[in-house]
Amino acid sequence: MALEKGNKAKLVLEDGTIYEGYSDVRNPCFGQLCYNTSVIGYQEIITDPVYAGKILVFAYPQIGNYGVNTEDLQSAKIQTAAVVARDFCADPNNFRMSSSLPDFLEKSGVCAFEGLDTRQLVRHITANPGLYACICPVEYDENVAKEELNNYIEKAKSINLVKNATSKKAYSIDVSQLGNFNNAKSLFKNKFKIAVLDLGISASQLACLSYISKAIEVFPYNSSAKDILDAKCDALYISAGPGNPLNVDFVCETINELAYKLPIYACGMGHLLVARAFNFDIKPCKIEHFGSNVPVYDVFNDIAYATTQHHSYCVCSCGFEKDENGVFVANLSGHDFAIAYKNVNDGSCEGLALLDLPIFTSQFHPDSFDTSAKSQISIFYD
């Protein structure tokens, strides 16, 4: 174990379940529980804005065995409220590393908790999605912890996390400065000027956009349609982001204004907000989708992808009917939609295509694909 064994702590769940382990936490730490099944990529995961405010549980037993470095950050800081693992590696080794994961968490002021059966905890989370939890010293009064957790939950459920994850002001990006992703740029024609509506965009999403862009203009989530149109871009990308899509209203109005004026591709939270803008119902997932190698079927291209996902909500597919080609279609707000992508595990909607406007969406993240494969990248970004 990387944490001091003498510092016993407990993880108190909203439903009263308690797990004991080890942590250097001094004051209670609160957040919504989620998990991730990935074996590697922990640095990218904990710095991805989509995990803002989460207590993140890694299912894989040991985390941190290759340390952390300065090149793979997805944002400027750790986004999670806390990180839970069976075991944090105390002695990592990798030629790129600049520090260990426990040191990185400690220096960032982020709670680390270890010493419990995380696979059992993940099973509990999947059976009870959306649980909130508190991490506190083992001697902390249990009743006080539960009361403070309930107070936190009451406030947290209405918070617009996108507001905190978005950029503070609009800015331009020099696509030649986006790192290793430029190695594959010869595969694409870099001729488009792309507008990005930033709901909490990660570095890898921006890097993938550089494949097709001669310029990228990034706008905060509350930018007006006029602000975006004045930039005279060729298309709009609506990024992924954290939190509950039902707490983000202004973006839906912007989408409605831009739907007839720009081609739009939306991902993650962006996908859910495009669906909201056209009056689709959004519902919590029966089993939340967090982790890698999640199989998704591409209806139009008859191909399956192994994807990375991190979401608790999905588009309700009620009202879709199968047409003569076997595609599920529906008409909402005067437009024809098709389910373009389906989750192979539970059949849920993973993406939409408007049949009469140049708009399509995906719930999963194209930036998670093998970036050497033109066929995968081009489907989403070309």
Side-chain angles (χ1 to χ4, degrees), residues 10-247:
K10 57 189 175 185
L11 175 68
V12 181
L13 274 59
E14 173 186 356
D15 64 2
T17 307
I18 296 177
Y19 294 86
E20 291 196 358
Y22 300 93
S23 175
D24 294 331
V25 65
R26 292 180 176 83
N27 299 310
C29 169
F30 304 94
Q32 187 175 29
L33 280 171
C34 74
Y35 63 90
N36 193 289
T37 59
S38 299
V39 176
I40 60 174
Y42 50 82
Q43 178 178 342
E44 292 89 338
I45 292 166
I46 66 175
T47 57
D48 192 324
V50 298
Y51 285 99
K54 300 286 190 181
I55 295 178
L56 177 59
V57 181
F58 282 102
Y60 190 70
Q62 187 179 71
I63 295 297
N65 60 352
Y66 56 87
V68 298
N69 61 70
T70 59
E71 299 173 8
D72 294 336
L73 299 172
Q74 293 301 300
S75 66
K77 64 178 182 178
I78 296 176
Q79 298 288 339
T80 55
V83 180
V84 178
R86 171 67 183 86
D87 177 41
F88 288 106
C89 181
D91 189 23
N93 185 14
N94 186 273
F95 73 98
R96 298 175 67 227
M97 65 172 280
S98 56
S99 73
S100 69
L101 177 58
D103 286 346
F104 183 45
L105 292 168
E106 183 180 5
K107 289 176 182 177
S108 301
V110 175
C111 174
F113 185 93
E114 71 173 347
L116 73 165
D117 183 351
T118 53
R119 295 186 179 189
Q120 195 280 330
L121 175 56
V122 167
R123 290 175 68 89
H124 188 82
I125 295 171
T126 57
N128 305 274
L131 285 175
Y132 287 82
C134 165
I135 297 174
C136 57
V138 71
E139 66 273 10
Y140 200 81
D141 186 277
E142 186 177 313
N143 292 325
V144 173
K146 289 179 179 178
E147 182 181 353
E148 291 177 342
L149 177 58
N150 288 332
N151 292 336
Y152 173 83
I153 293 170
E154 186 176 349
K155 297 176 182 177
K157 286 186 175 180
S158 61
I159 291 176
N160 174 8
L161 290 175
V162 168
K163 182 179 179 180
N164 298 324
T166 189
S167 52
K168 302 306 178 186
K169 60 181 181 179
Y171 62 95
S172 302
I173 292 179
D174 180 353
V175 297
S176 67
Q177 302 300 313
L178 288 178
N180 293 333
F181 283 85
N182 288 283
N183 295 337
K185 291 182 87 172
S186 60
L187 296 173
F188 303 95
K189 297 177 180 178
N190 307 97
K191 59 184 180 181
F192 299 110
K193 184 179 182 182
I194 305 297
V196 174
L197 193 56
D198 177 11
L199 309 183
I201 196 166
S202 64
S204 58
Q205 289 178 66
L206 288 171
C208 279
L209 286 171
S210 75
Y211 288 136
I212 62 167
S213 306
K214 65 181 181 183
I216 298 174
E217 301 290 336
V218 181
F219 296 88
Y221 91 103
N222 57 356
S223 299
S224 68
K226 182 180 184 303
D227 291 336
I228 296 171
L229 291 172
D230 285 347
K232 301 188 183 305
C233 294
D234 299 301
L236 172 66
Y237 174 71
I238 307 175
S239 80
N244 185 342
L246 301 179
N247 293 338

Side-chain angles (χ1 to χ4, degrees), residues 246-316:
L246 301 179
N247 293 338
V248 187
D249 294 320
F250 183 83
V251 177
C252 297
E253 301 172 17
T254 305
I255 292 169
N256 278 324
E257 290 186 55
L258 295 175
Y260 304 93
K261 298 173 183 177
L262 282 174
I264 296 175
Y265 167 48
C267 172
M269 174 66 81
H271 152 77
L272 296 170
L273 294 180
V274 167
R276 278 196 66 198
F278 287 95
N279 295 318
F280 281 90
D281 289 329
I282 307 299
K283 63 178 183 180
C285 298
K286 289 183 179 179
I287 296 180
E288 297 171 320
H289 298 171
F290 289 96
S292 57
N293 296 322
V294 180
V296 168
Y297 177 62
D298 182 336
V299 175
F300 294 112
N301 292 290
D302 192 27
I303 189 172
Y305 306 124
T307 70
T308 292
Q309 304 198 8
H310 25 67
H311 58 271
S312 304
Y313 296 86
C314 62
V315 174
C316 180

